[in-house]
Amino acid sequence: MLNQSLQSTSFQELLMMMAAALGCGLLIGLERERSKQRENQHSFAGVRSFVICALLGALCFSFGPIFGVVGAMSVAAISIFSLKNQLKDPGVTTELAFVMTYFIGALCIWNVTLAASLSVVLTFILMMKHSIHGFAGKWITEAEFKDGLFLLALILIGLPLTPNVPLWGAVLNPHIILKLLTLILVVQALAHIAKRLLSKKRALILSSIASGFVSSTATIAHLGMQVRNEGIDARSNAGAALMSCISTLLLLFIVVGGVSLTWLKLLIFPSLIAIAILAFCAYWLLRKAEPVEEIEPEDSPMFSLKEAAIIAVTLTIIQAGVYGLEILLGNSGLIAGTLLASLFEIHAAAAAVVIQGEPTNTSLMYAMMIGLGAHAVSKSINAAISGGLKFALYFAPVQILHMTVLIAVLWWMVQH
């Protein structure tokens, strides 16, 4: 593609390339010109320089790669000369943008869409100077920065290097285990960021959703105990408990999707209907609730690695247990193991099922539906024990209803 020359390019094609390069250079140059005037700074390049630079990139590479390299060296030399003679503003942003504009102009020869997209991205980055500086220096805390760095290292380095081979049958796969841990950490981090963004509007609903990602069962028990021991309104706490169940279904997407995309596609539609039922009923119960302001440490971490590791290890142990029961007792062991696991942790039970085969396996489908139903009953019993009859009467009917609808739609989809 680099051998494309002016002789093999029609006038209409060349005109389109140059027009695209002109547009890209104009967009970037206008931003730099406005920034220069707004901040009253001296800059070596303005709107005309950026337009010429983009056109130069397209023209040089049209003549061939040698001319393209010579042009790139010339643009780099101009940028370096500018940096050496720069006294007041030691930044290199404009110079780097100038060099990148040259290559964006060159890219217009082969892919106008990509070149235009890059010019928009570059312009956006240049425009967000103060916002990015404020985010890096003031908004993000030291603990959040360290956690974000660790999470990126886990995603970009840890996951690709982890062996993707099951150690026992279809379970105990190190890659799947690390993927589950990473997904849990990402969910906790997103919940933390949501709290930061909505810090002035924190309410029972927000804290319940965030807590539900860690443990919906524990959240329900906590809210129930508040009703029983502290006399807090059972109606609003039951609504918050139902909100934590939304987190359960969202986390179910993540856990199942990390193991099997086929199962995820099957579960999405019925789960979304169930989430809609939960959200509507929870909102109805919470509409008169008073906001609950949570005091959070100023430099709080984005996630708890210890809690996430415990959840991931628990998921893995339960998966192995269900698989072991299936080996010993066959389909009966699979269903019994899933039923027992679901009483404590639906995500582990679901992962243990989906990791063993496709939804076309009737035994696996029965195990999944029984597990979902058992978990709904378990949560309802938990609500009655922790919060008493009034709390349970608000919570349990909706809990049973949404799971019944989910299972019914899931069964209908399988049959059709």
Side-chain angles (χ1 to χ4, degrees):
M1 297 178 77
L2 286 173
N3 293 325
Q4 180 179 359
S5 64
L6 287 174
Q7 293 180 346
S8 61
T9 306
S10 68
F11 177 75
Q12 186 177 3
E13 289 175 334
L14 183 62
L15 193 62
M16 186 180 70
M17 295 173 189
M18 293 302 166
L22 187 147
C24 292
L26 185 63
L27 179 65
I28 301 167
L30 283 172
E31 193 287 326
R32 287 292 80 191
E33 189 72 38
R34 286 173 59 86
S35 175
K36 184 168 61 173
Q37 294 179 8
R38 183 172 58 249
E39 299 182 15
N40 196 25
Q41 290 181 347
H42 173 72
S43 178
F44 87 105
V47 60
R48 292 178 300 171
S49 301
F50 275 91
V51 170
I52 293 171
C53 183
L55 288 172
L56 183 65
L59 187 61
C60 287
F61 276 95
S62 294
F63 281 107
I66 296 177
F67 290 93
V69 171
V70 172
M73 292 175 64
S74 302
V75 170
I78 293 172
S79 301
I80 293 171
F81 179 79
S82 169
L83 285 172
K84 289 182 65 176
N85 292 275
Q86 198 168 247
L87 300 176
K88 293 184 179 180
D89 181 15
V92 298
T93 303
T94 300
E95 286 75 9
L96 289 174
F98 191 69
V99 174
M100 187 172 176
T101 301
Y102 174 83
F103 289 103
I104 288 175
L107 188 59
C108 290
I109 299 173
W110 304 291
N111 195 321
V112 173
T113 303
L114 179 58
S117 301
L118 286 174
S119 67
V120 171
V121 170
L122 177 57
T123 304
F124 180 77
I125 292 173
L126 294 172
M127 287 177 58
M128 296 296 290
K129 172 184 176 181
H130 296 292
S131 299
I132 293 173
H133 288 180
F135 175 80
K138 299 177 182 179
W139 195 83
I140 189 170
T141 66
E142 189 68 23
E144 290 169 343
F145 179 74
K146 291 178 181 177
D147 286 346
L149 218 61
F150 174 80
L151 194 54
L152 283 176
L154 200 62
I155 295 171
L156 300 176
I157 301 173
L159 277 175
L161 295 179
T162 305
N164 190 10
V165 180
L167 302 179
W168 181 36
V171 298
L172 299 182
N173 186 327
H175 185 80
I176 296 294
I177 295 170
L178 187 60
K179 186 190 288 187
L180 290 175
L181 174 64
T182 304
L183 290 171
I184 294 167
L185 291 176
V186 168
V187 168
Q188 290 185 0
L190 291 175
H192 173 86
I193 292 171
K195 280 189 172 185
R196 285 286 303 273
L197 292 175
L198 302 174
S199 57
K200 294 181 180 179
K201 298 181 180 179
R202 284 184 196 161
L204 199 54
I205 180 174
L206 179 61
S207 59
S208 298
I209 291 175
S211 301
F213 280 119
V214 178
S215 174
S216 176
T217 301
T219 303
I220 294 167
H222 171 69
L223 292 167
M225 292 299 292
Q226 284 185 336
V227 174
R228 183 185 290 274
N229 298 331
E230 301 175 26
I232 293 178
D233 181 39
R235 180 190 181 99
S236 59
N237 269 30
L242 291 172
M243 276 295 178
S244 75
C245 296
I246 293 178
S247 304
T248 297
L249 292 179
L250 293 176
L251 195 55
L252 182 65
F253 286 165
I254 294 170
V255 172
V256 171
V259 178
S260 171
L261 289 177
T262 305
W263 276 95
L264 177 62
K265 291 176 183 177
L266 182 66
L267 285 169
I268 282 181
F269 179 65
S271 296
L272 288 177
I273 295 176
I275 287 174
I277 294 172
L278 283 173
F280 175 79
C281 295
Y283 175 77
W284 181 261
L285 294 174
L286 278 165
R287 67 190 190 282
K288 295 181 180 179
E290 291 294 327
V292 177
E293 188 72 24
E294 292 184 359
I295 299 174
E296 198 173 292
E298 187 175 339
D299 196 15
S300 60
M302 289 201 296
F303 51 74
S304 170
L305 181 60
K306 180 180 177 181
E307 288 181 358
I310 290 173
I311 294 171
V313 170
T314 303
L315 291 172
T316 304
I317 292 173
I318 293 177
Q319 287 176 34
V322 173
Y323 182 71
L325 282 173
E326 184 186 16
I327 292 176
L328 290 174
L329 304 174
N331 291 335
S332 300
L334 170 66
I335 293 175
T338 306
L339 177 61
L340 291 173
S342 300
L343 297 176
F344 304 98
E345 178 55 69
I346 184 58
H347 306 109
V353 170
V354 303
I355 203 172
Q356 297 186 50
E358 300 297 319
T360 50
N361 187 320
T362 306
S363 298
L364 294 179
M365 183 55 63
Y366 281 142
M368 174 65 77
M369 291 189 293
I370 290 172
L372 291 170
H375 188 67
V377 173
S378 173
K379 280 187 173 179
S380 299
I381 295 173
N382 176 26
I385 294 173
S386 61
L389 181 61
K390 189 175 181 180
F391 179 71
L393 287 176
Y394 280 120
F395 175 83
V398 180
Q399 174 69 7
I400 299 298
L401 172 64
H402 95 277
M403 196 57 75
T404 302
V405 171
L406 192 158
I407 294 171
V409 175
L410 182 62
W411 176 252
W412 179 83
M413 289 177 64
V414 171
Q415 294 300 310
H416 292 78

